Amino acid sequence: MDYKDTLLLPNTEFPMRGNLPENEPKRLKSWFDDRKIYEKMKAKRQKAAKSFTLHDGPPYANGNIHIGHALNKTLKDIIAKTHYFFGENVRFTPGWDCHGLPIEQQVEVKLGDKKKSLSKTQIRELCREHAREFIDVQKESFKQLGVASDWDDPYLTMKFKFEAEIYKTLCKVAKRGLLIERSKPVYWSWAARSALAEAEVEYEDKEDYSIYVAFKLGEEAAAKIGAKDARAVIWTTTPWTLPANQAISLNPNEIYVLTAENLIFAKEMLSELEKEGLTKGEILKEFAAAELENLHAINPLNSRKSLFILGDHVTMDGGTGLVHTAPGHGEDDYHVSLKYGIEVIMPVDEGGLYDETLKAKKLFPDGVADELIGMHIFKANEKILELLGSNLLKVSKFVHSYPFCWRTHKPVIYRATKQWFIAMDEPKIEGKTLREVALKELENVKFYPASGVKRIGSMIENRPDWCISRQRDWGVPIAFFRHKDTKEPIFDDEILDNVAAIFEQKGADAWWDSEIKDLLPANCKYEPQNLEKVMDILDVWFDSGSTWAAVLKSGDYDAGSYPADMYLEGSDQHRGWFQSSLLLSCAAQGRAPYRSVLTHGFTVDENGQKMSKSKGNVVAPADVAKTYGVEILRLWVALSDYSSDLKISENILKQVSEQYRKIRNTIRFLLANVNDLEDIETSNFNILDRWILSRAKKTFDETEAAFRNYDFSKGFSLLMNFLSADLSGIYLDICKDRLYCDAKDSDTRRSAQSAMALITRALLPLIAPTLTYTVDEAMDYAPKIIKNGAADAFDLEYASLDFEFNVDDELLVASREKFFELIDVLKKDKKIKSTLELVLQTSSNLILSEDINEISDWYMVSDVQSLDSSDSLAEFDVGNDKFKLVLSTRHKCPRCWKFTAKHDGETCPRCEKVLKNV
């Protein structure tokens, strides 16, 4: 007789191999095109007690997505779905940043000289088309990652109404009194011909000059020091700024000295300057810094006066203790010069070239000025060194960290121009400054990881006023009028509201397309001919920083509530989007726009190296999807510790694929073995069922807690250990005998199936946020007992296992481990082929008091007995309990293979009984 036909073998059509690259695209397409899963998710939880708003930080609509984009959007999706599958009403509206320099530059490259013949509006429309193209490209890529969000109505910062909302936020800031216009040195990208905000600056190594320059003292200063030929020595790394020198700053708390070389230095710096070879260190005179205040030296380049002033910014950690001060070229220079009423001179144009100011202000002799006008400042360094002559005491070169424009990757300069700023230290928010309000609000925000609050807090504490104006075309205009004569801006409510209403209808292009009279409201008290337009545009960080207003507060999107429950981006956004959003929300609303902030690291290769095409270590999301499947990419995100940089490579993806295979095979085994279960029976659970349910509950509860805290790597580590060690490694292996060989309706088989069904019902929604595709596929093949009324994955909701079993398994687990260590040796020595050949004898009353059949299955032996004098194959102890492995004296059952048959060739009593009813 072929007993195989009498066994209740597992049965499911859920395939062992996922064939993810081939099968995923079809199912994902159905999610968005036919099944409308995001709409289903909203409808399913509309009456939920809790809600969760994830506000999407907008990626830039320029180029294809890279692995960093995939990490970011997948992590957002996993978190949003975690809240969804835990029963909450979730909102996740995706968006795109559409304005800004990179798009404008791409359009300019395509246009070439043709740009000169186009109007601003025509250029803006081309920028709009470019952004639109890549929004579609990126949207499809994100959908192919299985990201469930409102793809039918994403937010775009270039939508007309959105531009109006950005402008309204600007107006609120202006009306608060926080918007100021002033001439001040700012980071200036000469390559982009625009001002930059601090967040748009990156630091790279740059080689610069290091020069020491002597300024001869003016007559009064020389007389005061008592040295006719004395010279004050400054140190600088920017020779090109020397023509604009207006002052020399001294530290008011330091002592200065005149050396035997007739040179003036800070006394504190003397030993270092000896090493530089500038002096032998012999002091002729010491004096306080204040003795030179308001006297002057002579700039050797142009013979202009350079005023001695005092400033606390002068440090003793380098240089000479005397600081070359050009208020148009430095933040500290500007502020200290302001106190002394010193003029700000700016001889550099927007392209980084010297302009006619050289002649107008006599910054060089006429002949030299003619030669330098139109020359790039960096190229002028050598000429300036030549002109300094004997006043150049020492020159060398060195490499240091220097600010670069993050868009053009060219070094930036400090350049004083008239710009618009949001003031950090004006007490305009109920008597508090923006800096104070922002720092106070951060105390109410939960950060993941917790160190994030210190990072952004430090940045807020130390940041300067926010320069929000740019001198470009593609952006939202700073759409204010000013009086032609006084140049004062007008913040009249009627005018501002009217401009906003026009933007809603026609977009921000109207600012350039329309005449002033057409932008003013009817019966306006201002005459158009007396007004002029501000023609700057907003920093693109203002656009994204005001999305909380345009998306969450405007009512234009079904995007959730303000403040958002979470903002989630890379850790670089502490200085970018997190900060701009915080400042604008605090400026306009007096509060933070988010309740929590989560940051992730950057993607690197398996050696921790930054990815680059030249190194050949770039991993593209599309390539991962084609080779491994999107599900593997998603599992990689969940398994990684995203709080630091995330490593990815072919080897790592292969390891993740192996983890995925274990999860998939476990799900398949569970589905296959509950296929004929009609009702869950909970009253007959034996010790093995109680054991696995207690382990499952503990693991699932801990995993749930980890997931709720967004610690997915910890949660999956717990889960994988349970699935591999306890569930597959022990319980499912043990249960094969009862599942296959017991009668269909036996208590032990039904209780095992019931335990498996309960575990499966909890497991699927627990992993669904990450492995949504797999769970959705599994639901297609799941029997009714698992579906429990659900049609697909998106009908599932996680519920904790409702069992409190206290199983004393310490002895069981420890003895099983030692047992199988000995089994490995016995098999290797060819003393046994299977554990079923054995009887386990023990002195443990705890074990002998349990159901012997259950205990036999635990060790996968044919019987468990009390210790006797039988010869043993091996022995071991656990504490005071003794164990012996003895060969069974019974015969092998040809159906179940247990050594429990009375006679050779016969079936065991259990199988015999089952066969009678087959």
Side-chain angles (χ1 to χ4, degrees):
M1 181 179 182
D2 189 352
Y3 291 109
K4 184 178 179 182
D5 295 336
T6 72
L7 299 176
L8 298 169
L9 295 175
N11 180 27
T12 182
E13 292 183 13
F14 181 60
M16 182 182 295
R17 291 179 61 83
N19 290 325
L20 298 175
E22 180 184 340
N23 294 329
E24 280 175 336
K26 292 173 278 189
R27 182 174 294 271
L28 295 178
K29 189 174 188 300
S30 76
W31 282 4
F32 303 113
D33 293 352
D34 306 322
R35 293 163 60 186
K36 303 290 184 185
I37 58 163
Y38 182 71
E39 291 303 315
K40 175 173 181 171
M41 289 167 68
K42 289 199 296 184
K44 190 81 180 172
R45 300 282 191 265
Q46 59 182 333
K47 294 182 180 178
K50 290 184 69 178
S51 63
F52 178 77
T53 297
L54 174 59
H55 183 46
D56 191 27
Y60 198 67
N62 191 29
N64 295 304
I65 71 165
H66 52 66
I67 196 69
H69 287 123
L71 159 65
N72 179 266
K73 268 303 195 280
T74 300
L75 185 56
K76 287 174 180 174
D77 184 61
I78 291 172
I79 286 176
K81 284 179 181 166
T82 295
H83 285 270
Y84 173 77
F85 284 107
F86 285 166
E88 296 177 32
N89 191 8
V90 171
R91 291 296 181 274
F92 178 20
T93 296
W96 274 271
D97 223 342
C98 306
H99 297 124
L101 183 62
I103 289 174
E104 192 172 344
Q105 284 181 325
Q106 289 288 324
V107 169
E108 285 177 349
V109 169
K110 288 179 186 176
L111 286 174
D113 290 338
K114 190 180 174 185
K115 182 195 173 186
K116 297 172 185 175
S117 64
L118 298 179
S119 68
K120 280 202 175 192
T121 304
Q122 288 172 315
I123 292 170
R124 286 170 61 82
E125 181 52 37
L126 291 172
C127 291
R128 199 179 297 276
E129 286 177 16
H130 182 94
R132 208 177 282 128
E133 174 191 345
F134 281 102
I135 287 166
D136 291 340
V137 168
Q138 292 185 7
K139 183 195 291 187
E140 287 309 306
S141 297
F142 288 139
K143 288 165 77 171
Q144 286 162 19
L145 294 173
V147 176
S149 62
D150 196 353
W151 297 115
D152 292 335
D153 189 22
Y155 74 82
L156 312 177
T157 59
M158 67 182 182
K159 282 183 180 177
F160 290 174
K161 199 159 190 314
F162 207 109
E163 290 180 332
E165 289 295 335
I166 295 169
Y167 176 65
K168 287 177 187 176
T169 302
L170 174 66
C171 293
K172 286 182 181 177
V173 175
K175 286 187 227 179
R176 278 270 200 189
L178 293 171
L179 197 62
I180 53 177
E181 187 185 22
R182 63 168 181 254
S183 182
K184 179 178 179 289
V186 294
Y187 285 122
W188 184 271
S189 173
W190 49 266
R193 294 173 174 262
S194 181
L196 299 178
E198 195 174 17
E200 296 174 300
V201 171
E202 296 175 339
Y203 284 82
E204 299 179 23
D205 285 346
K206 180 177 183 288
E207 186 179 62
D208 272 321
Y209 283 101
S210 167
I211 65 172
Y212 293 88
V213 181
F215 282 53
K216 186 178 179 182
L217 265 57
E219 289 184 11
E220 285 186 67
K224 185 84 170 183
I225 299 302
K228 182 180 178 183
D229 297 322
R231 294 185 294 171
V233 182
I234 63 94
W235 172 77
T236 184
T237 61
T238 54
W240 61 269
T241 64
L242 284 172
N245 172 276
Q246 291 282 75
I248 296 174
S249 299
L250 311 177
N251 187 308
N253 303 311
E254 294 290 334
I255 298 297
Y256 287 78
V257 298
L258 176 68
T259 69
E261 295 85 6
N262 267 342
L263 301 177
I264 295 173
F265 306 107
K267 184 178 181 181
E268 179 74 17
M269 299 303 302
L270 204 55
S271 61
E272 289 299 317
L273 295 167
E274 279 187 69
K275 295 175 186 175
E276 292 285 338
L278 293 169
T279 176
K280 293 181 180 177
E282 183 183 344
I283 298 174
L284 299 182
K285 181 177 182 177
E286 296 185 10
F287 57 92
E291 290 193 42
L292 285 179
E293 186 180 18
N294 290 318
L295 303 178
H296 66 266
I298 306 297
N299 187 333
L301 282 177
N302 50 32
S303 300
R304 288 169 54 91
K305 291 182 177 180
S306 184
L307 192 70
F308 284 110
I309 59 177
L310 305 181
D312 291 328
H313 69 288
V314 180
T315 63
M316 299 297 129
D317 55 3
T320 64
L322 296 88
V323 175
H324 151 54
T325 303
H329 290 303
E331 183 89 15
D332 290 332
D333 298 30
Y334 172 80
H335 285 297
V336 73
S337 297
L338 207 60
K339 296 176 184 176
Y340 287 88
I342 296 171
E343 179 188 8
V344 177
I345 293 176
M346 177 43 57
V348 181
D349 72 10
E350 61 184 15
L353 312 178
Y354 280 129
D355 63 19
E356 293 288 342
T357 308
L358 293 186
K359 293 182 79 169
K361 293 292 183 180
K362 300 188 183 308
L363 302 186
F364 286 106
D366 284 351
V368 176
D370 289 336
E371 182 185 346
L372 291 175
I373 290 170
M375 182 182 288
H376 195 281
I377 51 174
F378 293 164
K379 290 183 179 177
N381 280 329
E382 286 77 9
K383 181 65 177 176
I384 289 170
L385 299 184
E386 180 188 327
L387 292 168
L388 286 170
S390 62
N391 297 292
L392 180 61
L393 302 184
K394 184 175 182 180
V395 59
S396 60
K397 283 190 172 183
F398 75 119
V399 175
H400 64 145
S401 182
Y402 189 88
F404 277 66
C405 172
W406 77 325
R407 299 295 195 193
T408 64
H409 303 290
K410 301 290 185 183
V412 303
I413 60 174
Y414 262 107
R415 179 172 179 264
T417 57
K418 202 154 193 177
Q419 301 289 344
W420 292 88
F421 296 85
I422 293 178
M424 293 298 297
D425 298 307
E426 293 288 331
K428 300 289 187 179
I429 309 172
E430 297 179 3
K432 293 186 172 65
T433 68
L434 179 54
R435 195 186 308 277
E436 289 169 338
V437 173
L439 288 171
K440 184 66 178 174
E441 279 298 300
L442 286 177
E443 296 175 9
N444 303 320
V445 178
K446 187 169 179 62
F447 281 82
Y448 303 92
S451 58
V453 69
K454 292 181 181 176
R455 188 170 183 212
I456 191 172
S458 174
M459 291 175 176
I460 295 290
E461 281 176 358
N462 298 302
R463 69 159 295 139
D465 294 340
W466 178 8
C467 177
I468 62 166
S469 48
R470 298 291 179 272
Q471 291 68 48
R472 301 293 303 184
D473 295 336
W474 181 225
V476 175
I478 299 179
F480 298 135
F481 296 109
R482 62 164 109 245
H483 295 280
K484 274 185 182 176
D485 50 357
T486 64
K487 304 299 180 184
E488 283 297 310
I490 296 167
F491 299 137
D492 179 88
D493 283 348
E494 283 189 10
I495 295 177
L496 301 182
D497 292 346
N498 193 65
V499 171
I502 291 171
F503 284 4
E504 284 189 19
Q505 296 299 315
K506 299 180 180 180
D509 289 0
W511 188 247
W512 290 277
D513 292 344
S514 305
E515 294 182 29
I516 291 176
K517 64 181 179 62
D518 297 321
L519 293 166
L520 296 174
N523 304 314
C524 181
K525 61 186 176 183
Y526 295 95
E527 294 295 332
Q529 63 270 22
N530 296 331
L531 305 178
E532 63 184 18
K533 296 178 187 176
V534 173
M535 298 305 285
D536 293 338
I537 64 168
L538 282 167
D539 170 13
V540 74
W541 288 105
F542 193 104
D543 287 22
S544 58
S546 60
T547 54
W548 54 266
V551 180
L552 302 180
K553 280 186 68 68
S554 68
D556 295 333
Y557 299 88
D558 183 11
S561 59
Y562 168 86
D565 292 290
M566 178 174 284
Y567 274 38
L568 186 168
E569 297 300 329
S571 54
D572 57 330
Q573 295 306 319
H574 285 119
R575 64 195 277 263
W577 188 55
F578 299 148
Q579 196 173 144
S580 63
S581 300
L582 175 68
L583 294 179
L584 288 180
S585 184
C586 288
Q589 300 293 138
R591 66 158 306 157
Y594 37 66
R595 291 191 174 92
S596 69
V597 168
L598 186 146
T599 54
H600 59 76
F602 299 100
T603 51
V604 294
D605 70 14
E606 62 186 333
N607 299 314
Q609 297 295 309
K610 186 178 178 180
M611 292 186 185
S612 69
K613 289 181 181 177
S614 62
K615 291 180 183 175
N617 62 351
V618 172
V619 177
D623 292 341
V624 177
K626 287 175 186 173
T627 305
Y628 297 98
V630 168
E631 208 76 330
I632 304 306
L633 186 64
R634 293 177 64 88
L635 186 56
W636 164 73
V637 173
L639 291 174
S640 301
D641 177 7
Y642 60 77
S643 63
S644 57
D645 287 346
L646 292 82
K647 294 181 178 180
I648 187 168
S649 67
E650 288 289 320
N651 288 332
I652 290 169
L653 289 168
K654 285 176 184 175
Q655 293 167 22
V656 175
S657 297
E658 183 60 25
Q659 298 283 67
Y660 174 77
R661 187 187 64 79
K662 290 177 183 176
I663 295 170
R664 186 179 182 93
N665 285 348
T666 301
I667 293 172
R668 185 174 185 272
F669 187 92
L670 290 167
L671 295 181
N673 282 287
V674 298
N675 66 89
D676 60 7
L677 182 67
E678 294 178 1
D679 297 298
I680 290 179
E681 173 58 57
T682 60
S683 60
N684 292 321
F685 285 140
N686 54 49
I687 186 171
L688 297 186
D689 304 325
R690 295 197 306 273
W691 175 77
I692 196 60
L693 285 168
S694 67
R695 284 290 181 119
K697 177 173 175 55
K698 180 176 184 296
T699 300
F700 289 0
D701 286 352
E702 289 177 358
T703 300
E704 178 192 357
F707 285 178
R708 286 189 182 277
N709 201 42
Y710 314 121
D711 193 347
F712 300 105
S713 61
K714 177 183 177 183
F716 267 98
S717 176
L718 293 166
L719 205 54
M720 291 304 300
N721 185 61
F722 166 75
L723 294 179
S724 298
D726 295 338
L727 187 62
S728 297
I730 298 178
Y731 183 73
L732 298 183
D733 206 23
I734 287 171
C735 286
K736 287 176 182 175
D737 175 72
R738 66 190 60 187
L739 290 169
Y740 303 168
C741 301
D742 271 12
K744 181 176 179 180
D745 295 323
S746 75
D747 288 345
T748 50
R749 184 171 188 271
R750 284 300 186 216
S751 66
Q753 285 183 304
S754 296
M756 290 181 195
L758 290 168
I759 289 169
T760 308
R761 281 186 183 181
L763 175 64
L764 292 179
L766 191 58
I767 64 173
T770 300
L771 301 176
T772 321
Y773 167 89
T774 302
V775 173
D776 194 48
E777 183 192 4
M779 289 297 287
D780 286 351
Y781 301 99
K784 287 183 180 179
I785 200 70
I786 298 300
K787 288 187 175 182
N788 198 25
D792 61 23
F794 302 97
D795 285 329
L796 298 176
E797 182 176 337
Y798 176 75
S800 177
L801 287 169
D802 190 21
F803 295 96
E804 292 293 342
F805 295 127
N806 292 314
V807 179
D808 186 359
D809 66 351
E810 187 175 345
L811 177 60
L812 285 170
V813 171
S815 60
R816 192 178 195 275
E817 190 174 314
K818 284 198 172 185
F819 171 83
F820 276 100
E821 286 175 5
L822 292 176
I823 292 301
D824 289 340
V825 176
L826 292 175
K827 285 183 176 179
K828 187 178 179 182
D829 294 344
K830 297 185 178 180
K831 291 185 177 180
I832 62 169
K833 291 180 180 179
S834 164
T835 56
L836 294 175
E837 298 172 40
L838 299 174
V839 171
L840 181 68
Q841 296 185 350
T842 181
S843 64
S844 169
N845 291 325
L846 179 67
I847 289 177
L848 292 169
S849 66
E850 295 289 347
D851 185 306
I852 293 302
N853 287 328
E854 294 299 309
I855 298 300
S856 297
D857 284 350
W858 176 256
Y859 298 100
M860 300 181 79
V861 296
S862 288
D863 197 9
V864 174
Q865 302 170 353
S866 298
L867 278 176
D868 63 22
S869 59
S870 304
D871 292 336
S872 66
L873 295 175
E875 299 181 9
F876 65 91
D877 296 341
V878 178
N880 295 322
D881 294 310
K882 298 185 178 301
F883 295 83
K884 287 170 59 176
L885 278 64
V886 178
L887 282 172
S888 175
T889 58
R890 296 206 169 192
H891 300 277
K892 181 179 180 180
C893 173
R895 182 171 180 269
C896 70
W897 299 358
K898 281 188 175 182
F899 282 67
T900 50
K902 291 179 181 178
H903 303 288
D904 189 24
E906 293 182 356
T907 54
C908 68
R910 187 265 308 260
C911 289
E912 188 175 339
K913 184 178 178 182
V914 172
L915 289 172
K916 284 180 182 178
N917 297 312
V918 170

